Amino acid sequence: MQIKRFFGSNGFLGLGRVFIILLFLFAFSLYVIGKFAYLAISETTFSATRKETVQRGLILDRNAKQLAVPTNFWNFGVTPKAIQEKGLETFAKIIAPILGESEESIISKIQSNAQSKFVSIKKKIDQGTYEELRRIINLSDFSNGVRFDKLPGRIYPENELAAQLIGYMGDDGKGLSGIENRLNEILSPSSKQSDSKTGTDTRGKNIYLTIDANIQFNLEKIAREALTQTRAEGLMLIAAEAKTGEILSYISLPSPDLNFYPAASDEERRDRPAQDMYEPGSVFKVFSVASFLDTNAISENDIFLCDGVYHGKGFNIGCLHDHGWVDARGALAGSCNDALAQMSEHIESEDFLQKLRDLGFNTKTGVELPGEAVGLLRNPNDRLWSERSKPSIAIGQEIDVTALQMVQAATALANDGVPLQLTFIKKITDADGKDEVVHYPIQKERVLKSSTARYILDSMQKVTKEGTGHRADLGDVTIGTKTGTAQVADSKHGGYRTDANNSNCLAIFPVEDPEIILYILLETVPTIKDEDAFAGIIVTPIIKESANIIIDHLGMTRMNASSLVHTGEISIPPSREIVLDSVVPDFTGASKRQILPLLDRNDIQIEVIGDGYVSKQTPAPGTKITENMRIELYLE
């Protein structure tokens, strides 16, 4: 009776409907079981799903020499079950030599992860290794069990050159330091900007730096020799164009090889010119005297008696010599602490400090680098301010500056009292090379009278001719200098270290029409005798050598310039075949005709500069060839 009510004509379901439902459930169960069985016994394969990518832009020097180049790296992994079914020992044997790994380590890695769906074998392999692996794996029929994940990569053709400035791109495609970090969104725009409808990849913009790679290379060579000879802990060097604010050379030593950046030490990675704060010492006196003169606290005709010691209220400041009667120019030439301290008595503290702020101290310069330090300039309301503070600041103590701030302030001296904005960016182009941003000099508000700036430059020339900067005298190009030997703060015990000094020098040349500002600091120079670290002895020769490199490279006029004579004879090397395989060959002596067939290749870029025969190339012979590599050949 109840069964009839359930299934009958007046029930919920008829027998026909129940049969159909049961048949559907049975068929669905068979499908699920069959699908599961198929997946369980089938080989695991990986299909590459196209992802929209961003092609990172280049970083180049002002003359288009490539300093940071995009390339591809690959992560290599396998499905353990698929590899074991095909033959684990065979697989390990064929890939071990290519990866530079032992067969045992590969076998162990796969066996210990036998139950995993995927195990990474090696990360970040280069293009050449990837291509060789693909070839041998395809020939050995292991392709269904392996996976290659493409990664955005970066090659730095010049290795350590301007390392802290260029910076480094991490494995995630983001800049971690330097220009790579600060201008990351310009170099590699967000992938959201890519054209998802057409599948077109986004291409980043190219950044042309203001530095000249040739000047940078030669000055780095000089700087490394100086670092070795003086046993200093670090060295900073900045060379800038006086009329544009463009920085031609930016050196921070020690420095890392950007191609091995993760292995670098913190000391090598540190961007000293932007981040290190220090007391500049006597080199700062040019800005103190400029402040005194510009506020009419003193005049050019005022003279001061130096008896070797400045007697303050409850303190003394010593001087190296008894200079006698000196004016401001003579005080700078002799680097007289006593006279500078006496000058500071004639200016109100706030007027002095404000003029120094106007010159850019206690403020970031605003260059295109991350982590720039502000420096330190105390004021009378500071709890550490004392009667000694103002005369101490006048001689470059009780104030912390950065090397960038020193160069920024010097632009006011070189431009008749009007400072310029420093920059590292010459121009920015789109991926096709079309200019989008071009640097033009940016003048700031006037901070010094023209007469003040000229007086300081003339005084700096006197320092070179008659004072502590005489070892920097160029002879045929006028150069103004100011040296400084400063104490090093003792971070462990407080006060100052007795076993080391900082030695620095500021130079501007030519004095009559400034073109170049050059600043060098040797950081923490160990001393046995006081004169071991005197800037006038150890830094001025570096200034001279560096200035001569810059003058000759830029073709600046020398008063006694000589003519070059060429014999007219050119040696033509024998013809030879140029082969591009896994490494860059030595192109030296190759003719343009020999090179032309290589220009048709689409996996690398070859740029030929000049005519004749190859005299120079970048990168060097023996460099491993990577996808999209750019090779520059200079012909004469």
Side-chain angles (χ1 to χ4, degrees), residues 105-124:
S105 66
I106 294 172
I107 292 172
S108 174
K109 187 176 292 185
I110 294 175
Q111 287 180 337
S112 61
N113 293 276
Q115 303 306 313
S116 301
K117 294 182 178 180
F118 175 80
V119 59
S120 175
I121 300 299
K122 192 160 187 176
K123 294 182 177 180
K124 205 175 180 181

Side-chain angles (χ1 to χ4, degrees), residues 159-410:
N159 302 315
E160 296 183 28
L161 193 83
Q164 291 87 350
L165 170 59
I166 296 167
Y168 176 75
M169 188 195 78
D171 291 345
D172 60 356
K174 295 181 180 179
L176 301 181
S177 62
I179 294 294
E180 293 273 34
N181 171 271
R182 185 65 181 271
L183 301 184
N184 186 70
E185 286 302 312
I186 293 175
L187 288 163
S188 185
S190 170
S191 60
K192 294 179 181 179
Q193 299 178 32
S194 60
D195 190 340
S196 58
K197 294 182 180 179
T198 64
T200 303
D201 292 338
T202 299
R203 295 192 296 170
K205 303 184 189 305
N206 300 323
I207 295 177
Y208 288 73
L209 301 179
T210 57
I211 66 164
D212 185 309
N214 288 320
I215 292 177
Q216 179 80 17
F217 175 82
N218 285 298
L219 296 194
E220 281 192 11
K221 183 179 179 181
I222 294 171
R224 293 183 195 284
E225 291 173 356
L227 196 68
T228 300
Q229 292 172 1
T230 62
R231 297 171 292 124
E233 290 184 6
L235 184 147
M236 313 175 200
L237 185 153
I238 301 174
E241 288 185 339
K243 290 181 171 62
T244 67
E246 295 180 1
I247 295 175
L248 295 173
S249 180
Y250 186 79
I251 298 173
S252 177
L253 297 180
S255 61
D257 184 332
L258 291 174
N259 293 301
F260 302 96
Y261 190 83
S265 66
D266 290 341
E267 286 294 301
E268 290 172 327
R269 296 181 186 183
R270 198 164 90 220
D271 183 358
R272 295 171 185 265
Q275 298 172 355
D276 280 16
M277 302 189 304
Y278 55 90
E279 291 186 356
S282 294
V283 71
F284 193 76
K285 290 172 182 174
V286 293
F287 303 116
S288 298
V289 172
S291 301
F292 302 151
L293 286 169
D294 213 63
T295 56
N296 298 316
I298 66 169
S299 73
E300 297 178 12
N301 298 320
D302 289 340
I303 58 174
F304 306 88
L305 177 61
C306 168
D307 61 4
V309 179
Y310 173 74
H311 302 280
K313 297 180 180 179
F315 66 92
N316 294 324
I317 296 177
C319 206
L320 289 176
H321 305 288
D322 178 350
H323 294 97
W325 290 99
V326 292
D327 59 7
R329 184 175 279 116
L332 289 175
S335 200
C336 180
N337 290 343
D338 190 355
L340 264 291
Q342 290 180 55
M343 294 178 202
S344 72
E345 296 174 357
H346 297 270
I347 189 172
E348 293 296 328
S349 296
E350 187 51 42
D351 291 340
F352 182 28
L353 298 175
Q354 186 56 53
K355 185 61 69 172
L356 296 180
R357 295 188 199 103
D358 292 343
L359 284 164
F361 297 107
N362 205 45
T363 306
K364 294 181 181 181
T365 65
V367 295
E368 303 86 357
L369 283 174
E372 186 182 0
V374 175
L376 175 64
L377 180 62
R378 294 195 179 97
N379 62 71
N381 296 321
D382 192 294
R383 65 182 183 85
L384 296 178
W385 186 272
S386 69
E387 290 288 340
R388 185 178 183 130
S389 294
K390 186 169 57 170
S392 291
I393 293 173
I395 64 172
Q397 297 179 353
E398 288 196 38
I399 178 174
D400 284 349
V401 303
T402 68
L404 280 170
Q405 287 175 337
M406 293 292 288
V407 176
Q408 178 76 75

Side-chain angles (χ1 to χ4, degrees), residues 142-157:
F142 281 100
S143 56
N144 286 332
V146 303
R147 187 171 86 192
F148 293 94
D149 294 326
K150 189 175 181 179
L151 299 172
R154 206 67 155 160
I155 289 178
Y156 300 94

